[in-house]
Amino acid sequence: SIDRQKNDADLEAVEEGDAVEDEEAGGEAVDVRGGFEAVGGGAASRVRVAVESRPTALKDLRRLLNESDSRLLMGKKSLMKVALGTSAASELRRNFRKLAEVSEGALVATDASRDAVESALARVRRPEFALAGFVPSQHVTLEPGPLEAFPTSLLQHLRKLGLVLKVTDSQLELHEPFAAAVPGTPLSPEQAKLLKLLDLKLDEFRPSIIAEWRDDGTFSSFS
């Protein structure tokens, strides 16, 4: 499954019961059964679940998966869980509830080998801007002095992020050290915004397979 800040449904419902809708999501629909039928004839399809995705790389991932006759199914985490089924009585197919337990909002329906899917995932790995809550492994500290990278028009915005600034000779000047990242400490929203302004990408988009379901109902977890 692929973790996103905001997910758009990838498919339209084709039959009543094949999809679920979330009123709070604006009527989004996730067509799970239709996704399997679009790949390898349906029943023979496998489901592979990938995690730690970012919207900026989904387009490339979708293209690479299409090249291997695979289908990327996207939806909100809560919506995907309901679509798969959360119990033996409600699951769409046997053991889909186990997929629901690990789903982060996306599935890959495919007849391709695990190696082929992993190859596609590896090709879209890339540095990413860290979001609030990310735990960095390095220090990033702004020392007092001129901030040549920022125009004076950002004065108020940077102050809202917590920087102690003033304008000297038409240039922003930092008066106190500011820790933009501390190893082992989750980033605040303000720190994440500042790191993006600094064009520092501390995170990485690194999707990986965490589980697999086969048409015979076999479920395997790799996490």
Side-chain angles (χ1 to χ4, degrees), residues 22 69 98 102 138 159 199:
D22 182 349
D69 295 324
K98 295 182 178 180
V102 299
Q138 63 191 85
R159 281 178 172 172
D199 198 30

Side-chain angles (χ1 to χ4, degrees), residues 63-91:
R63 175 179 56 80
L64 290 172
L65 290 173
N66 287 341
E67 291 176 359
S68 62
D69 295 324
S70 304
R71 187 73 172 268
L72 181 63
L73 310 176
M74 299 296 301
K76 285 189 175 181
K77 290 170 60 175
S78 58
L79 184 61
M80 183 66 75
K81 290 179 186 295
V82 176
L84 291 169
T86 56
S87 67
S90 65
E91 62 186 0

Side-chain angles (χ1 to χ4, degrees), residues 146 152 166-173:
T152 56
K166 74 174 184 178
V167 178
T168 303
D169 296 329
S170 300
Q171 189 174 60
L172 293 180
E173 184 176 348

Side-chain angles (χ1 to χ4, degrees), residues 105-119:
L107 302 174
V108 177
T110 183
D111 278 328
S113 67
R114 180 177 175 181
D115 286 345
V117 176
E118 287 183 332
S119 177

Side-chain angles (χ1 to χ4, degrees), residues 91-141:
E91 62 186 0
L92 186 60
R93 297 190 186 180
R94 187 168 68 88
N95 282 333
F96 262 24
R97 67 186 187 280
K98 295 182 178 180
L99 277 181
E101 291 173 0
V102 299
S103 173
E104 291 293 335
L107 302 174
V108 177
T110 183
D111 278 328
S113 67
R114 180 177 175 181
D115 286 345
V117 176
E118 287 183 332
S119 177
L121 298 180
R123 289 167 64 185
V124 296
R125 290 181 182 176
R126 65 191 64 179
E128 284 281 357
F129 291 112
L131 303 177
F134 173 78
V135 180
S137 60
Q138 63 191 85
H139 277 287
V140 177
T141 302

